[in-house]
Amino acid sequence: MYFRLIQQYVSLGHMQVVTAEELDIKPQYVLPHVVMKPESTTTKLRTLFDASCRSRTGLSLNDILIAGPTIQDDIVCLILRFRMYRFVVSADIEKMLRQILVHPSDQPLLRILWRGDKDSPLTTFQLLTVTYGTNSAPFLAACTLQKLADDEESRFPVSTPVVRNDVYVDNLLTGADNISDLIVVCDQLIRIMNASSSMVVE
């Protein structure tokens, strides 16, 4: 099962093999990784990358990353607004962090070691997207949504305020007072998210 998870990272373009020429690029950091909640029968298996593991310098990746400020509304504010609408909708941005590309110059800090089985060679991979377990990930996700709203405001004026104000991490809670308005919101939200396919965080 874990092998399939790792293969999924490669097939979706979220991770790639590090070539021999790239192995000596500095700085670099190798993330330990484990499976979250393997005993659960209801929770999907998730790969957890430990960016708090200290390197031989005594520092971890999280020690040198800036977490960034909180730029999304508090969850309580979000829920209170949600309860004021007559008609509501909730959604989840699937694999949100893994849909945000990291700038190529930062990708060597997101390396892992992996072998498919005991007879396979140890291979170095490089994660290409914002990674769960790094303390900057929540800010980068929120910042990406804010930038997306700024970029698409002229095309989708109804739903860009929703992207700015009604999303908490990767969860959307919004609504409208009539169905026709809510349909417009939902249609524009889908189109905004589809427009974000080329974004890279730096």
Side-chain angles (χ1 to χ4, degrees):
M1 177 66 82
Y2 193 42
F3 175 77
R4 288 203 297 273
L5 278 176
I6 295 294
Q7 289 302 111
Q8 182 192 65
Y9 270 84
V10 176
S11 64
L12 292 176
H14 300 162
M15 183 172 75
Q16 67 186 18
V17 174
V18 176
T19 65
E21 296 76 26
E22 296 171 324
L23 283 173
D24 292 328
I25 289 177
K26 299 288 192 279
Q28 61 176 287
Y29 181 83
V30 178
L31 292 156
H33 52 103
V34 295
V35 178
M36 287 179 63
K37 299 186 178 179
E39 73 284 352
S40 173
T41 57
T42 57
T43 304
K44 292 180 181 179
L45 288 178
R46 298 180 188 275
T47 310
L48 175 65
F49 299 97
D50 185 5
S52 294
C53 182
R54 298 193 185 280
S55 69
R56 60 186 173 191
T57 67
L59 296 173
S60 70
L61 180 59
N62 277 343
D63 288 332
I64 62 171
L65 287 175
I66 298 172
T70 300
I71 59 174
Q72 287 181 319
D73 280 350
D74 184 270
I75 187 66
V76 175
C77 296
L78 208 71
I79 291 171
L80 287 174
R81 279 201 304 271
F82 182 69
R83 291 170 61 92
M84 299 297 289
Y85 296 116
R86 185 175 178 195
F87 301 100
V88 297
V89 63
S90 66
D92 176 81
I93 302 173
E94 185 178 8
K95 295 182 177 68
M96 181 174 178
L97 296 180
R98 287 170 55 184
Q99 295 192 57
I100 305 169
L101 290 174
V102 170
H103 193 276
S105 64
D106 294 324
Q107 291 171 2
L109 296 170
L110 300 172
R111 290 183 171 177
I112 68 166
L113 300 177
W114 171 255
R115 74 170 91 212
D117 57 64
K118 63 183 178 66
D119 298 318
S120 300
L122 195 63
T123 305
T124 303
F125 287 92
Q126 189 163 284
L127 295 160
L128 309 178
T129 61
V130 173
T131 300
Y132 184 76
T134 57
N135 63 11
S136 58
F139 169 75
L140 292 175
C143 191
T144 300
L145 286 179
Q146 298 292 323
K147 180 69 166 73
L148 180 60
D150 291 345
D151 290 350
E152 300 297 333
E153 189 163 22
S154 61
R155 292 202 303 155
F156 306 111
V158 174
S159 289
T160 47
V162 173
V163 174
R164 286 194 186 98
N165 304 314
D166 293 348
V167 178
Y168 185 78
V169 189
D170 59 354
N171 299 295
L172 170 78
L173 295 173
T174 195
D177 292 329
N178 63 71
I179 290 291
S180 59
D181 286 350
L182 190 55
I183 289 171
V184 172
V185 168
C186 292
D187 177 64
Q188 286 197 9
L189 282 170
I190 291 167
R191 292 162 66 193
I192 288 172
M193 294 305 162
N194 287 338
S196 67
S197 60
S198 60
M199 294 193 74
V200 178
V201 295
E202 300 190 34

